[in-house]
């Protein structure tokens, strides 16, 4: 693997987003519930990461862990959808195929509000696990069909848990995808040799850190962290530097009452600063960047 440790080298492209802002903001809502691995679903293992680390022995069903995930589509999704509507905020949904197949009505409810759907893999697992190109192709196809059946949308973007396989980007380009978000290395999109746009994602301004011991504990922790990131990026954008900010959420995490306050407060913060931001979907960010930097 050839690692690019320089990127733009401080010579940022002179990009103004379509509404005249220099800072684009992408809200991501992950739709994974039902696609996590569960022995009870015939998977070889059960997902360990939840509200607590599972103590059920490997290879045995863990109904408690399954219920923790199910909370996201049974309860959390409805809070999140209502808040996005009320604040008139567009989001990109990172959708796992098996989740779309199992909770299609919930996904349709979210998608009908105009949010973008992106392919998050068939299962909530790293695509780096695939040992054969054919198996990954089948997983992509299966997820695409499930997402389309639930929403009528064909995904133009992709993001998998963990990391891609060596051939993921070539497969995506062959299948007509426009961007991937398996990049954590910049504050701006860039073009991959495959021809795909890379719209970098972020794991720090992300509610998954509520599930990690070095992360957020109170709702205010996430709000304060997101505010600090937004302040820095907004100050840079006011100096003429184009920037992208990512904020990631999960139905089962931010949808819980004790953490939902963070979601509300972050949306309120973005609403107050809306005139200085371009809050939009990842596809629109990728498209605008590609059109502004056709030779990148």
């Amino acid at each position: 693997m050839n690692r690019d440790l320089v990127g733009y080298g401080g010579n940022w492209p002179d990009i103004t987003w379509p509404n005249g802002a220099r800072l684009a903001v992408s809200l991501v809502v992950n739709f994974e519930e039902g696609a996590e691995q569960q022995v009870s679903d015939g998977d070889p293992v059960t997902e360990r990461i939840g509200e607590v680390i599972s103590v059920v022995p490997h290879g045995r069903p863990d109904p408690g862990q399954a219920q923790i995930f199910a909370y996201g589509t049974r309860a959390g999704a409805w809070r999140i959808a209502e808040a996005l509507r009320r604040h008139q905020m567009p989001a990109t949904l990172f959708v796992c195929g098996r989740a779309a197949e199992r909770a299609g009505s919930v996904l349709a409810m979210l998608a009908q509000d105009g949010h973008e759907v992106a392919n998050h893999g068939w299962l909530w697992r790293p695509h780096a696990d695939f040992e054969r190109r054919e198996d990954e192709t089948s997983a992509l196809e299966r997820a695409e069909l499930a997402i389309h059946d639930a929403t009528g949308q064909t995904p133009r973007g992709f993001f998998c848990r963990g990391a891609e396989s060596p051939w993921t980007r070539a497969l995506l380009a062959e299948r007509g995808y426009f961007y991937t978000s398996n990049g954590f290395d910049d504050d701006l999109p860039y073009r991959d040799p495959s021809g795909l746009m890379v719209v970098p994602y972020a794991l720090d301004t992300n509610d998954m850190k509520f599930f990690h011991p070095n992360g957020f504990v109170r709702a205010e922790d996430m709000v304060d962290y997101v505010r600090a990131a937004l302040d820095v990026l907004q100050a840079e954008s006011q100096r003429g530097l184009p920037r992208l900010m990512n904020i990631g959420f999960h139905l089962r995490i931010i949808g819980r009452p004790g953490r939902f306050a963070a979601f509300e407060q972050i949306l309120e913060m973005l609403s107050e600063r809306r005139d200085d931001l371009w809050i939009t979907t990842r596809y629109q960010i990728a498209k605008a960047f590609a059109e502004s930097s056709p030779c990148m």
Side-chain angles (χ1 to χ4, degrees):
M1 177 180 178
N2 295 320
R3 296 175 61 195
D4 181 356
L5 299 177
V6 177
Y8 290 110
N11 298 311
W12 314 107
D14 186 15
I15 300 295
T16 300
W17 300 112
N19 71 340
R22 288 280 191 168
L23 175 56
V25 176
S26 166
L27 296 173
V28 170
V29 177
N30 290 269
F31 194 95
E32 300 161 344
E33 291 71 14
E36 82 284 358
Q37 294 196 78
Q38 296 284 351
V39 168
S40 57
D41 290 334
D43 299 316
V45 296
T46 287
E47 174 60 47
R48 311 298 290 179
I49 298 176
E51 292 288 340
V52 295
I53 301 299
S54 174
V55 295
V56 174
H58 285 287
R60 294 186 185 177
D62 186 347
Q65 187 76 310
Q67 291 158 6
I68 286 169
F69 273 80
Y71 184 91
T73 43
R74 290 170 63 105
W78 307 93
R79 287 194 183 98
I80 290 167
E82 189 279 330
L84 289 171
R85 288 187 204 114
R86 182 161 27 88
H87 289 278
Q88 298 183 326
M89 293 283 175
T92 294
L93 310 175
F94 282 170
V95 181
C96 289
R98 193 166 78 178
E101 184 177 83
R102 292 177 157 186
S105 61
V106 182
L107 177 58
M109 177 273 296
L110 288 163
Q112 70 186 6
D113 287 337
H115 304 304
E116 176 199 2
V117 293
N119 192 335
H120 197 24
W122 171 249
L123 296 179
W124 189 49
R125 56 169 283 187
H127 274 225
D129 286 351
F130 283 108
E131 296 182 357
R132 298 196 316 152
R133 184 186 180 107
E134 295 79 9
D135 293 338
E136 185 172 8
T137 299
S138 295
L140 287 171
E141 290 177 348
R142 198 174 181 188
E144 290 161 6
L145 288 171
I147 291 168
H148 189 271
D149 285 348
T151 68
Q153 293 190 44
T154 299
R156 301 295 306 278
F158 174 82
F159 177 77
C160 69
R161 183 183 186 181
E164 300 164 323
S165 75
W167 50 78
T168 298
R169 294 187 179 182
L171 286 177
L172 294 174
E174 290 169 10
R175 300 186 67 77
Y177 283 76
F178 191 68
Y179 74 87
T180 180
S181 284
N182 279 96
F184 306 100
D185 50 1
D186 215 308
D187 292 317
L188 280 180
Y190 54 90
R191 193 176 294 279
D192 183 73
S194 66
L196 294 174
M197 294 302 301
V198 179
V199 182
Y201 192 44
L203 300 179
D204 62 325
T205 46
N206 192 303
D207 69 356
M208 196 72 192
K209 292 184 73 67
F210 282 111
F211 277 8
H212 288 275
N214 64 336
F216 308 134
V217 177
R218 304 169 306 130
E220 289 78 8
D221 295 338
M222 183 173 187
V223 175
D224 289 347
Y225 191 94
V226 168
R227 180 183 294 110
L230 184 60
D231 286 346
V232 168
L233 292 174
Q234 197 167 358
E236 291 179 353
S237 72
Q238 289 168 352
R239 296 198 298 271
L241 301 176
R243 291 291 184 260
L244 163 65
M245 179 171 182
N246 298 280
I247 313 175
F249 302 102
H250 298 73
L251 303 179
R252 65 191 176 279
I253 302 178
I254 208 67
R256 287 279 180 178
R259 294 185 285 254
F260 187 69
F263 191 70
E264 284 276 16
Q265 291 175 45
I266 288 169
L267 294 189
E268 289 169 5
M269 186 194 317
L270 294 175
S271 294
E272 291 169 358
R273 307 189 192 195
R274 194 189 296 265
D275 290 346
D276 297 321
L277 309 171
W278 188 40
I279 306 169
T280 188
T281 65
R282 300 181 79 75
Y283 173 69
Q284 291 300 326
I285 290 168
K287 182 171 178 288
F289 194 87
E291 291 173 351
S292 297
S293 305
C295 297
M296 294 297 299

